Amino acid sequence: MSSTFDIKDGLELYNEKCPDKEYLVDEIIGKGDLVVLAGDTGLGKSIIAHQIGVFLATGEEEVLGFEIPRVRRVLYLNFELSNDEFNRRHRKIASSITSKSKLKNFQYNVVNTKKGLFDDNWDRIIKTIENSYPFDLIIVDNLYTSTSVNDEKNHDLKKILRKITDVSNVHGSAVLVITHHRKHSTEEPLSLNLVRGGSTLTNAMDMVLQLGRSILDHEIRYFMITKNRYYSPNLLKSMELILDPKSLRMINTGEINERKHLSPLNEDQNSILKKLDVEFTTSELKTQMIDNGYSERVLYDWLKKWLYDDHITKISQGKYQKN
């Protein structure tokens, strides 16, 4: 028989004191939150998650440019790498940590000879957590390899989401799950629609974090908060990430224009723009384009697109600057 709901009135709610939102990592991981980190293969999702775990466990000041208020206990559940591979990665990421003793706050599962890829691991995860001292953050790497069910079918995915919630509810832990993007064109901007599992997964999450790659420069990755159930001044902003190969540290170097990095110039556009000075006029661009067989109508189409994609900036009437 179903129980009834407790009912209160609006005045009680107004007079009830509510604490401020508590973050493990400012803006991207809140206490008890369900968080997904999504991106294409090879962008460094696992490296970022490992970095978050180590920096949080050792009390670094920030990670990816976001503040870490204090030390937390972290459990990293690896369903992808061998012990040796995980160890090599861990030693690099932890190499810059001053207080190595605090690494005791970072714990992980030992992978047996058989990795157990695509086994149903979620009941085992719950049992492990129930028999452990509470963790503030549990990282699952990754959703695809942690289960045998199809994470793109809504019926199966809902079962996994129920298990993820159960994991969080054991001790009120935040859970960070790594997953992939669906197949898409390289020019498609980051959005919730790209996340494998679609709205069924992203609607259940408190935070959605995504990684992309620049078409202009293959070495440039960028990070975006595409969902924050609370408040984020950096919501939907593209943050450039540079990977330090020695420490495997992903460094946030500031905001970039995603449109520019996903909208490369064609060969003629690139050649013409290179011939112009850093600051140029419409008439100077027109001369270059006519010399290359283009009409005045095409000129204004190009200018409009270049401005929109942040390849150039308008300084004044008829005068522009290359970015």
Side-chain angles (χ1 to χ4, degrees), residues 39 42 46 68 94 106 113 132 138 156 167 186 255 305 314 320:
S46 296
I68 297 174
F106 179 94
T113 307
S132 301
I138 298 163
D156 291 338
V167 167
T186 55
E255 188 176 359
K305 180 170 174 53
K314 187 173 183 178
Y320 304 89

Side-chain angles (χ1 to χ4, degrees), residues 256-310:
I256 61 173
N257 189 307
E258 182 186 33
R259 291 195 308 272
K260 177 179 178 179
H261 283 270
L262 297 182
S263 304
L265 303 175
N266 63 38
E267 188 175 345
D268 281 358
Q269 290 173 334
N270 203 30
S271 175
I272 290 171
L273 196 58
K274 278 185 177 180
K275 291 176 183 177
L276 295 167
D277 292 334
V278 174
E279 292 186 5
F280 64 92
T281 64
T282 305
S283 61
E284 290 169 339
L285 174 59
K286 182 179 178 180
T287 299
Q288 288 290 339
M289 291 184 66
I290 289 174
D291 288 347
N292 284 270
Y294 288 96
S295 67
E296 188 172 339
R297 179 180 176 182
V298 175
L299 181 151
Y300 289 105
D301 288 340
W302 281 17
L303 277 176
K304 184 178 179 181
K305 180 170 174 53
W306 289 357
L307 285 166
Y308 180 78
D309 292 337
D310 200 39

Side-chain angles (χ1 to χ4, degrees), residues 35-39 44-51 75-82 85-86 89 93 106 108-109 111 115-118 121-122 125 138-147 164 175-180:
V35 185
V36 67
L37 172 61
K45 298 184 296 296
S46 296
I47 290 174
I48 286 177
H50 202 142
Q51 182 181 330
L75 175 62
Y76 196 112
L77 295 166
N78 161 45
F79 298 107
E80 197 164 61
L81 301 179
S82 68
E85 290 169 326
F86 192 79
R89 177 177 290 176
I93 292 173
F106 179 94
Y108 66 99
N109 61 313
V111 179
K115 291 186 181 180
L117 297 182
F118 311 113
N121 286 293
W122 286 92
I125 291 172
I138 298 163
I139 300 170
V140 181
D141 185 11
N142 57 59
L143 182 61
Y144 179 60
T145 56
S146 68
T147 178
I164 294 172
V175 180
L176 171 60
V177 180
I178 300 171
T179 192
H180 295 83

Side-chain angles (χ1 to χ4, degrees), residues 65-312:
F66 298 93
E67 183 184 353
I68 297 174
R70 65 180 180 88
V71 172
R72 303 282 187 168
R73 292 189 80 249
V74 177
L75 175 62
Y76 196 112
L77 295 166
N78 161 45
F79 298 107
E80 197 164 61
L81 301 179
S82 68
N83 286 324
D84 288 345
E85 290 169 326
F86 192 79
N87 175 273
R88 284 190 286 269
R89 177 177 290 176
H90 183 72
R91 289 179 67 84
K92 282 189 175 184
I93 292 173
S95 63
S96 62
I97 301 300
T98 304
S99 182
K100 298 292 193 293
S101 62
K102 289 182 180 178
L103 287 168
K104 287 185 175 291
N105 292 318
F106 179 94
Q107 299 190 18
Y108 66 99
N109 61 313
V110 177
V111 179
N112 297 321
T113 307
K114 295 181 179 179
K115 291 186 181 180
L117 297 182
F118 311 113
D119 287 345
D120 282 320
N121 286 293
W122 286 92
D123 286 333
R124 192 177 179 188
I125 291 172
I126 293 170
K127 283 188 177 181
T128 300
I129 295 166
E130 286 175 340
N131 291 300
S132 301
Y133 190 79
F135 293 99
D136 298 292
L137 174 64
I138 298 163
I139 300 170
V140 181
D141 185 11
N142 57 59
L143 182 61
Y144 179 60
T145 56
S146 68
T147 178
S148 63
V149 303
N150 188 338
D151 62 351
E152 290 192 291
K153 287 188 176 181
N154 282 345
H155 178 71
D156 291 338
L157 185 54
K158 285 178 180 178
K159 292 179 181 178
I160 303 173
L161 290 172
R162 192 174 298 117
K163 295 291 184 182
I164 294 172
T165 304
D166 289 343
V167 167
S168 177
N169 286 339
V170 174
H171 294 300
S173 307
V175 180
L176 171 60
V177 180
I178 300 171
T179 192
H180 295 83
H181 280 156
R182 59 170 175 77
K183 290 183 179 180
H184 63 97
S185 69
T186 55
E187 295 86 5
E188 189 170 356
L190 295 182
S191 70
L192 297 179
N193 293 330
L194 278 184
V195 180
R196 186 180 168 99
S199 60
T200 302
L201 177 63
T202 57
N203 286 345
M205 296 292 118
D206 298 295
M207 315 282 186
V208 179
L209 316 173
Q210 291 180 251
L211 292 176
R213 189 189 293 278
S214 169
I215 298 176
L216 294 178
D217 185 343
H218 198 65
E219 293 300 313
I220 294 179
R221 302 165 172 85
Y222 62 97
F223 172 86
M224 187 185 292
I225 303 169
T226 50
K227 179 182 177 181
N228 182 314
R229 202 181 291 279
Y230 313 100
Y231 169 74
S232 170
N234 289 297
L235 184 68
L236 300 179
K237 291 182 180 180
S238 304
M239 304 295 178
E240 180 181 0
L241 297 179
I242 299 297
L243 175 64
D244 175 6
K246 187 175 180 180
S247 66
L248 290 184
R249 182 170 185 168
M250 290 281 194
I251 302 166
N252 182 339
T253 60
E255 188 176 359
I256 61 173
N257 189 307
E258 182 186 33
R259 291 195 308 272
K260 177 179 178 179
H261 283 270
L262 297 182
S263 304
L265 303 175
N266 63 38
E267 188 175 345
D268 281 358
Q269 290 173 334
N270 203 30
S271 175
I272 290 171
L273 196 58
K274 278 185 177 180
K275 291 176 183 177
L276 295 167
D277 292 334
V278 174
E279 292 186 5
F280 64 92
T281 64
T282 305
S283 61
E284 290 169 339
L285 174 59
K286 182 179 178 180
T287 299
Q288 288 290 339
M289 291 184 66
I290 289 174
D291 288 347
N292 284 270
Y294 288 96
S295 67
E296 188 172 339
R297 179 180 176 182
V298 175
L299 181 151
Y300 289 105
D301 288 340
W302 281 17
L303 277 176
K304 184 178 179 181
K305 180 170 174 53
W306 289 357
L307 285 166
Y308 180 78
D309 292 337
D310 200 39
H311 292 291
I312 62 173

